[in-house]
Structure formats: C-alpha cells, structure tokens
Amino acid sequence: FRSEGDLGTIAYSRTGNDENVGTYDDVLTATYTANDNYTVNVVPADFTITAKTLTITAEAKTQVYGAEAVALTYTSEGLVEGDEITGALTREAGDDVGTYAIGQGTLTAGDNYTISFTGANYTITPATVTITVADATKVYGAADPAFTGEVTGLVAEGDLGTIAYSRSNDAENVGTYDDVLTATYTANDNY
C-alpha cells in the first residue's frame, strides 16, 4: 500500500464446510474491497482440522463368584453433539475370585477423535457357602458317631472342597450340648 488510508476492507473466509479431521488445500481466502488504485491478488491458504481428545473412563465393577456377569460401562467427556461412541469395553478373562483389568476394547468415535482412556478393575468376590451341621446322638460310653451336615451355596459340584466335622468339647455325661458340633471347610478361594 502506498498510504495507510488505502487499506480498504478485507474479509477472510473459508470455502467448503468440511468438519472432519484433515488438511484442506487452498480453502482459506479473502475478499478485498479497496479503491480503484489497486489490483487485488489473493493467495489462498490451507486449513487443517486436528482430532479432538475424547476422554473415556471405565467404571469399576464387582461381581460375586458364580453370579451373572456385570455389564461393563463407562463415562465420556468431549463428544461433539450428534457423534456417537461405538464398540464395547473388554476385561481380562477369568471367572475365579480376583481382580481383572477393564480395557478400552473396541470403543471408538471415529477418526475425528483421539481417545484418552482410563481403565478400571472388575473384581470377583467370594461366594458364601453355608454348612449346616446335623444334630447327632450317641449312647453313654459309645464312640462318637460320624458327624454329617448339609452344604448349600456351591456354584459348581467340583467346588466342594473338604469338610471336616468335629465336636468342640469332650463331655461324656448324659445331656444335650448346644452348638458343639462344627465343621472346618477347606476349599478354593472362590468361597
């Protein structure tokens, strides 16, 4: 410009309405309104759209051994209205008592997003097994009978473990002794 007053008016704009991630060549342009002393030559520029960060946070879950699996869920922050997250979370394999990591799995929101994922744990806690010791009777002076009981709450037949029934006192006189028959249960860590 020869003088500051010759500047005129410049309106910058973008041609096209693409909103997806990518570089768009020569879409930034300008319209120049000035006096007749100038011939306008506009050199367009490129416009780049970069991926937005989408934060996904897995929610911790707890399940009792042998119970139905709990659905994996998450929260998200940064999704543009109208877009959606597809896919599913995954967790480490295992059905026994323990802690298993929840991973991103196949979750995606497409190429317009970079996912920042925070995992959580899926915890399987022990199931409760109940041993009801059966009442027993013996004649004075006789040997103790074999003590028995009933086990409830097992998830699988192979989970039974070992039960040792016993009497917690050595009284031999005639009478009824309350709550002296007991059991010791040895099983896997799932109970």
Side-chain angles (χ1 to χ4, degrees):
F1 293 107
R2 292 198 165 243
S3 69
E4 195 170 318
D6 289 349
L7 181 59
T9 304
I10 302 172
Y12 295 98
S13 63
R14 175 166 66 111
T15 60
N17 58 2
D18 254 323
E19 289 299 324
N20 292 319
V21 167
T23 298
Y24 300 93
D25 296 336
D26 298 333
V27 296
L28 297 181
T29 188
T31 304
Y32 179 66
T33 305
N35 60 40
D36 294 336
N37 293 329
Y38 295 95
T39 300
V40 177
N41 181 26
V42 175
V43 178
D46 298 341
F47 185 65
T48 300
I49 299 174
T50 60
K52 181 177 183 181
T53 298
L54 173 63
T55 302
I56 297 178
T57 304
E59 297 178 316
K61 298 296 177 179
T62 301
Q63 169 200 332
V64 174
Y65 171 73
E68 187 174 329
V70 178
L72 302 178
T73 57
Y74 59 87
T75 60
S76 67
E77 185 177 320
L79 193 66
V80 172
E81 187 175 339
D83 288 349
E84 64 180 30
I85 299 170
T86 60
L89 296 170
T90 56
R91 77 167 178 90
E92 287 180 302
D95 296 320
D96 290 328
V97 167
T99 302
Y100 303 90
I102 298 172
Q104 181 177 333
T106 59
L107 288 183
T108 182
D111 293 337
N112 290 330
Y113 295 93
T114 299
I115 293 179
S116 172
F117 181 77
T118 302
N121 288 326
Y122 188 98
T123 303
I124 299 178
T125 60
T128 299
V129 64
T130 301
I131 302 170
T132 305
V133 180
D135 291 338
T137 303
K138 79 171 193 170
V139 174
Y140 174 74
D144 284 349
F147 301 126
T148 62
E150 179 183 1
V151 179
T152 56
L154 290 175
V155 172
E157 189 69 32
D159 288 349
L160 181 57
T162 304
I163 302 172
Y165 295 97
S166 60
R167 181 162 62 118
S168 63
N169 73 13
D170 56 1
E172 290 297 325
N173 294 323
V174 171
T176 299
Y177 300 93
D178 294 334
D179 299 330
V180 296
L181 298 182
T182 188
T184 303
Y185 180 63
T186 304
N188 59 38
D189 293 335
N190 291 328
Y191 295 94

